[in-house]
Amino acid sequence: MFVQELEPVADSLGLSALVATLPLLTVLVLLGGVRMRAHLAGPIGLGVAAAVAWLAFGMPLGQTAASAAQGAAFGLFPILWIVVNALWVYRMTVRTRHFDVLRRSFGRLSDDPRVQALVIAFCFGALLEALAGFGAPVAISAVMLVALGFDPVRAAVVALVANTAPVAFGAMGTPVVTLAQVTGIPLDTVASVVGRQTPLLALVVPLLLVALVDGRRGLRETWLPATACGFAFAVAQFVASNYVSAQLADIAAALAGAGALVAVPQARRPAAEPVRAAVLTGARSEDLDHDDPRADVLRAYAPYALIVAVFSVAQIPPVKDVLAEATRTVDWPFLDVADPAGDPVGGNVFSLPLVATGGTLVLLAGCATAAILGVHARVAAREWAATVHELRYAILTVTSVLALAYVMNLSGQAATIGHFVADAGAGLAFLSPVLGWFGVAVSGSDTSANALFGALQVTAAEQSGLSPELLAAANSSGGVLGKMISPQNLTIACAAVGLTGKEGDLLRKVLPWSLGLLLLMCLIVVGQSTAALGWMLP
């Protein structure tokens, strides 16, 4: 048995914590300073984490390798299993051109560019975040806005800022699933706390979007549709994450937000020509005038309806119990770790939810989608393989980062850093979202930031007397606000709208909004750590 030590380096907590940060510093410097690609920085960081675990923390090489293997296995299943199948569904809609049908359907909802920004960037972007994530919502939303006649820079800024509130539950809940796994906090608990933080952002972001599109006039004239959209989105995200399913949170929120938006009469009124002339300064795509048969429109919406239906059925107690019976729990080979108190850690055991996992449920919905869209089984299989190929670098990144996180957690590195950081005391509640924000800003992924800092947040919270659930959730909720300034997302946005090389200009436009919303989240978390807003927590 390997017993973790908190002060293995010169019997000093400070020196031990400094050495323990080397893997994180390596990844952050390679990503942010050297500008190395994440799929290369991740494995290098893993190598540093393994060296620190073995040489400084005394973890046997065999157990270090076993820890990394378990982290990589968790990255593949269920994390990447969710992402691959979700993106596969999206690819089939693109192949059959039903995605174009959906885009034209959105374009016909309103000719007001401020409302179009809400429908496409905020609501549909959230739906794309729920299914695909990893930059897809920003790229697709920006392209759709440019097709409607938006200036490329404005379209990119709107798409980036809109991609905030849904990120924590993106890719069928992948970030919160990862956070639950690395912290040992039940998924339902983590999701419920995050679901009491990010909905507050949803109340603000739609108002910010109409202001970005049309300044004070946009805010003055369309505040009611924006408020209705944000309020419905927030309520649906809160209800789904707390009482239904974390995997359905973004889908429910996106549909509720869009429904509330189009229900407001003001949103359906034709926009004044001065507004359109001021906002729509680009070239409008001619294919928007093409009329689609009603049957094609229904099929275009079918994949999302199927996913909602499959996940809803899976939450019915008897069905949920049957699905859970297929879950297998195994003692991970060559791994026998105890915490500093001598108690076995949860990482010694690996849970394999074969059916009761988001990826398998999305796969079932995807098979039904293929049948409805008329995709032959052979073609669907090729699209699935193409999806894996498209995600090959993301697969390497996620598996290596999760392997790094598991090595740091099981060797005791994360616990040592957490005990050291706990000296911040009450100030830790304010700094907690900042740590998540920084992690996402550098890595471009809320999933990666949760894997890197989730366990550290929990340890620090336990040592400082704060709620571990609150700070773990704050890591993810603060992280979503770093997405708009991450080099990965900036590059994706620029490439999508033809602004390659203008990432710096785009960063200067979105950075103030990222910092402002981060400050708001920090104040929310501080309030929730005290009696002022403590009543909000479950």
Side-chain angles (χ1 to χ4, degrees):
M1 177 182 288
F2 166 70
V3 180
Q4 298 172 347
E5 290 185 56
L6 294 177
E7 302 175 357
V9 181
D11 293 326
S12 167
L13 182 62
L15 287 176
S16 299
L18 181 63
V19 172
T21 60
L22 289 177
L24 298 177
L25 290 175
T26 299
V27 173
L28 297 179
V29 168
L30 291 177
L31 288 173
V34 182
R35 301 283 183 179
M36 182 179 288
R37 297 293 181 88
H39 68 276
L40 298 176
I44 294 174
L46 171 60
V48 175
V52 171
W54 176 42
L55 298 174
F57 281 74
M59 191 178 202
L61 270 178
Q63 299 218 43
T64 301
S67 301
Q70 184 179 159
F74 177 71
L76 291 172
F77 191 95
I79 299 303
L80 288 165
W81 181 237
I82 298 171
V83 176
V84 168
N85 289 323
L87 192 56
W88 171 58
V89 173
Y90 163 71
R91 283 180 62 98
M92 285 193 292
T93 66
V94 172
R95 182 183 180 88
T96 58
R97 299 190 180 278
H98 283 89
F99 180 77
D100 292 333
V101 176
L102 198 65
R103 175 168 60 87
R104 288 191 287 269
S105 174
F106 290 152
R108 286 191 289 268
L109 288 175
S110 172
D111 72 344
D112 190 325
R114 300 163 299 190
V115 176
Q116 290 172 341
L118 293 174
V119 171
I120 293 172
F122 187 68
C123 297
F124 187 57
L127 197 58
L128 291 172
E129 183 67 39
L131 292 180
F134 292 89
V138 170
I140 295 166
S141 296
V143 168
M144 291 175 72
L145 291 174
V146 169
L148 291 171
F150 277 67
D151 170 73
V153 173
R154 184 175 291 169
V157 170
V158 168
L160 285 166
V161 174
N163 190 222
T164 50
V167 168
F169 297 103
M172 307 309 295
T174 297
V176 290
V177 170
T178 303
L179 185 62
Q181 181 68 20
V182 300
T183 60
I185 300 173
L187 173 59
D188 290 345
T189 302
V190 170
S192 67
V193 180
V194 174
R196 295 161 193 251
Q197 295 172 342
T198 56
L200 299 176
L201 295 175
L203 298 174
V204 177
V205 172
L207 295 169
L208 177 56
L209 293 179
V210 297
L212 287 171
V213 171
D214 194 31
R216 293 182 180 177
R217 177 179 58 187
L219 196 57
R220 183 175 63 253
E221 295 180 0
T222 54
W223 68 268
L224 182 58
T227 300
C229 176
F231 182 77
F233 187 104
V235 170
Q237 192 180 64
F238 163 74
V239 171
S241 60
N242 277 266
Y243 304 110
V244 184
S245 166
Q247 288 90 344
L248 282 180
D250 278 349
I251 294 178
L255 297 177
L261 180 61
V262 299
V264 177
Q266 185 179 340
R268 301 195 300 274
R269 295 172 188 163
E273 191 54 39
V275 173
R276 292 178 55 79
V279 176
L280 302 180
T281 54
R284 185 176 182 272
S285 177
E286 295 180 358
D287 79 328
L288 291 172
D289 299 322
H290 175 73
D291 288 330
D292 299 295
R294 186 176 182 83
D296 284 350
V297 175
L298 292 175
R299 278 195 290 269
Y301 284 91
Y304 312 105
L306 282 169
I307 289 175
V308 171
V310 169
F311 273 86
S312 298
V313 170
Q315 296 305 310
I316 298 174
V319 177
K320 191 174 184 178
D321 293 340
V322 171
L323 297 179
E325 289 178 1
T327 299
R328 296 290 179 266
T329 302
V330 297
D331 292 327
W332 193 258
F334 311 112
L335 198 61
D336 188 9
V337 179
D339 62 22
D343 300 319
V345 300
N348 293 328
V349 178
F350 187 72
S351 180
L352 200 62
L354 299 174
V355 181
T357 183
T360 302
L361 298 178
V362 174
L363 178 65
L364 295 174
C367 292
T369 295
I372 290 176
L373 300 185
V375 180
H376 191 277
R378 188 182 303 108
V379 176
R382 280 203 300 266
E383 284 296 322
W384 194 91
T387 303
V388 174
H389 183 264
E390 179 184 340
L391 290 173
R392 61 192 183 281
Y393 294 129
I395 290 172
L396 180 57
T397 300
V398 171
T399 53
S400 60
V401 167
L402 280 164
L404 180 156
Y406 269 61
V407 170
M408 289 190 65
N409 293 344
L410 291 173
S411 66
Q413 295 174 58
T416 295
I417 298 172
H419 278 73
F420 182 75
V421 171
D423 290 340
L428 188 60
F430 186 87
L431 296 175
S432 184
V434 178
L435 187 59
W437 174 84
F438 181 71
V440 175
V442 172
S443 69
S445 167
D446 200 34
T447 299
S448 296
N450 286 343
L452 290 173
F453 301 130
L456 187 156
Q457 298 264 24
V458 168
T459 303
E462 290 172 342
Q463 294 303 308
S464 60
L466 295 172
S467 165
E469 294 81 7
L470 174 62
L471 294 202
N475 191 84
S476 192
S477 298
V480 305
L481 302 170
K483 197 76 180 284
M484 68 178 83
I485 64 168
S486 70
Q488 171 185 310
N489 258 23
L490 290 170
T491 301
I492 288 172
C494 285
V497 298
L499 295 174
T500 302
K502 301 291 186 180
E503 290 84 359
D505 296 338
L506 209 54
L507 174 62
R508 284 190 288 275
K509 289 183 178 295
V510 299
L511 181 59
W513 304 114
S514 176
L515 293 174
L517 292 172
L518 174 63
L519 176 60
L520 174 62
M521 181 54 65
C522 289
L523 294 176
I524 290 170
V525 174
V526 169
Q528 290 178 334
S529 70
T530 66
L533 296 179
W535 53 268
M536 293 178 62
L537 300 181

